[in-house]
Amino acid sequence: MVENEIRAMLERYFDVLQTQDLNEFDKVFNSNSVLYSAQDGNFVVRPFQEYREMVKNRKSPVEMGSGRKDEVVFLDILSDTMAFAKVRLQLFDNIMVDYLNLVKVDGNWSIVSKLFYREGSAS
C-alpha cells in the first residue's frame, strides 16, 4: 500500500536526521533535491550536495545526546508516485516543521524538495 511505503520512508527520514547516516541520507533525499527556508529575513536555498556536506561535517543529534520527537502531521497522496507530507520533529534543540514533496522513482520514495521552518526551541 502506498501510504505504508511513504510512512516507512518518513521514518527513515526521521532516523537520518538523528544519526546523519550518509548512506541512508542518499536514499531518503533525491540527488536533485533542494531545501528552502525563509526565516528571520533570510531566504535559504540549499541544493542536495550543499546540504549533504553540511550534514557530513557536523555532529549528529545522537552524538550530541539530543532528545528526539517526531511526527507525521499530514500526508496527502497525489498518486502512486507523488505525495506531500508535513512533519514536525526535534532536531538538536529546535522544533522544526518540514513540508516534504515526495516522488517515487525506480520503485523508491525520496524527497525532491523540502521547505523547513524553525518553529521554536525544544527546551
Side-chain angles (χ1 to χ4, degrees), residues 2 4 8 13 19-20 25-26 28 33 35-37 40 54 58 65 68 71 83 86 91 93 96-97 114-116:
V2 171
N4 292 340
Y13 169 69
T19 65
Q20 298 182 180
F25 182 95
D26 292 343
V28 168
S33 64
L35 285 69
Y36 303 93
S37 184
D40 301 325
M54 191 177 99
R58 71 180 180 201
R68 177 175 176 169
E71 66 176 315
K86 177 181 179 182
L91 185 62
D93 191 36
M96 305 298 295
V97 176
K114 169 180 168 175
L115 278 85
F116 63 98

Side-chain angles (χ1 to χ4, degrees), residues 30-89:
N30 183 285
S31 62
N32 294 306
S33 64
V34 179
L35 285 69
Y36 303 93
S37 184
Q39 196 164 331
D40 301 325
N42 297 312
F43 179 57
V44 175
V45 178
R46 193 169 288 140
F48 171 82
Q49 279 303 109
E50 182 181 324
Y51 183 46
R52 191 179 192 283
E53 280 301 307
M54 191 177 99
V55 167
K56 178 181 173 184
N57 293 316
R58 71 180 180 201
K59 289 188 182 242
S60 73
V62 168
E63 290 175 297
M64 304 281 292
S66 298
R68 177 175 176 169
K69 183 176 182 183
D70 41 60
E71 66 176 315
V72 177
V73 177
F74 178 81
L75 182 60
D76 186 8
I77 300 170
L78 285 80
S79 71
D80 289 345
T81 57
M82 293 187 293
F84 168 82
K86 177 181 179 182
V87 301
R88 180 176 285 111
L89 60 119

